[in-house]
Amino acid sequence: MSIGMPATLASEYIPKTDDNEVKSIEVPLENVLDTSLYAINPTNTSVLSKDFATSAGQTGKVTSIGQYVDLTKVIPAKSKVVSITIYCPSDIKVTQSQFTTIDNYLISYDGSTSTAVKFQKTNSPTSTSKTTFFKDKDANVRWFVQLEGTILKQQTGMDGFTVFGSKMIIEYK
């Protein structure tokens, strides 16, 4: 998590009504936040998350640099999370090396509390794309989203994955 990286701002799609009614925000996760160079000079190709082996023979879990999602200006104060759905739409480009898997999205609430949601490429997210882990936590905060994968065998020296976008839906009341 580097200081100075821009955060994605969400837009609200369901009008505000009753305080007890569940509302929803959809956030496209597309900003490049791999390095401060990208943050200062974004390219036309947006990448949610990228990671790769950095030394010969490296295997095991790898975690992407990730992205902040700033909901402080679009969700009213004192709103509480009902659920979070996160998934990769079917038309989004995903690349990964032959012996690399993309396992989970990691969602962090406050830098210390996080949960994993199974990575799923679909246009119809299921219950495996949804978590209620943060139920009743403040919704109008800065969330941090990363991808987690596994390198089973290093083949090229730069084995890993790249995901060119995802969607995060936060239900709150």
Side-chain angles (χ1 to χ4, degrees), residues 1-2 4-8 30-40 46-50 64-69 144-145:
M1 293 188 243
S2 296
M5 291 185 168
T8 298
E30 298 174 342
N31 282 356
V32 176
L33 296 179
D34 288 2
T35 66
S36 58
L37 175 65
Y38 286 111
I40 295 166
S46 295
V47 179
L48 166 63
S49 300
K50 178 191 288 192
S64 69
I65 291 174
Q67 172 176 358
Y68 284 101
V69 180
F144 189 67
V145 179

Side-chain angles (χ1 to χ4, degrees), residues 42-55:
T43 64
N44 289 335
T45 304
S46 295
V47 179
L48 166 63
S49 300
K50 178 191 288 192
D51 207 346
F52 50 85
T54 56
S55 59

